[in-house]
Amino acid sequence: MKIRRKARFAPEVFTHSLNDIMFFLLLFFLIISTMSNPNVIKLMLPKASSSQQVYKKQITLSVDDQKNYFIDKDQIPAGQLETELATIFTNVEERTVVLRVDKNLAVQDLVDVLEVGAKLDIKMVMATAR
């Protein structure tokens, strides 16, 4: 005589594929959140009858290995660097200088130029080679 055990039915939920789905959802939201800019507030700005343009000026300051200073392509004496930059950037709101310094110069020479820029409130951007 065979004694049959009562077969119990145990409900199961297969969650093996939920890991993949959650990974793809997380990846999707990460990509979308980097594309959108949450710091932007959309406003309807008022119109003005006259407008004022912000004047930007960007120049190149080059220093070669003999400590010769060049603003764009014009050579200037080292002692007149501050006065030349001050006259170039008069009435300019956003002041930017692309700084090109020879790699053989000492760090102190670079710091001297950066101090002049800090004194005149000029944004200095260092140019490098690839």
Side-chain angles (χ1 to χ4, degrees):
M1 179 168 135
K2 277 189 171 179
I3 300 176
R4 284 181 25 188
R5 291 190 177 175
K6 188 176 182 182
R8 291 188 179 180
F9 177 70
E12 291 184 31
V13 177
F14 294 104
T15 60
H16 301 293
S17 63
L18 284 179
N19 292 335
D20 296 335
I21 294 170
M22 292 303 291
F23 174 74
F24 284 122
L25 284 174
L26 179 69
L27 188 64
F28 172 76
F29 286 119
L30 282 175
I31 292 172
I32 294 301
S33 67
T34 58
M35 290 178 146
S36 67
N37 192 354
N39 297 330
V40 175
I41 299 173
K42 293 185 180 182
L43 297 173
M44 296 297 291
L45 297 176
K47 294 182 181 179
S49 59
S50 64
S51 64
Q52 179 183 5
Q53 283 187 321
V54 175
Y55 183 57
K56 293 182 184 180
K57 187 161 189 171
Q58 177 180 340
I59 64 167
T60 302
L61 175 62
S62 303
V63 184
D64 64 2
D65 55 348
Q66 283 92 28
K67 296 184 186 178
N68 296 322
Y69 294 89
F70 298 91
I71 292 182
D72 291 330
K73 292 185 180 181
D74 302 324
Q75 184 174 359
I76 60 165
Q80 294 182 354
L81 177 65
E82 185 175 349
T83 57
E84 287 288 326
L85 288 175
T87 56
I88 288 173
F89 286 121
T90 53
N91 300 326
V92 177
E93 291 183 22
E94 291 191 30
R95 304 169 178 185
T96 305
V97 171
V98 177
L99 188 59
R100 300 178 65 219
V101 180
D102 191 82
K103 67 179 179 178
N104 297 325
L105 284 179
V107 175
Q108 185 61 44
D109 299 323
L110 174 64
V111 170
D112 293 339
V113 174
L114 292 176
E115 283 179 346
V116 170
K119 189 185 295 183
L120 297 174
D121 193 30
I122 297 173
K123 179 180 169 185
M124 296 278 190
V125 178
M126 183 85 173
T128 58
R130 284 191 146 188

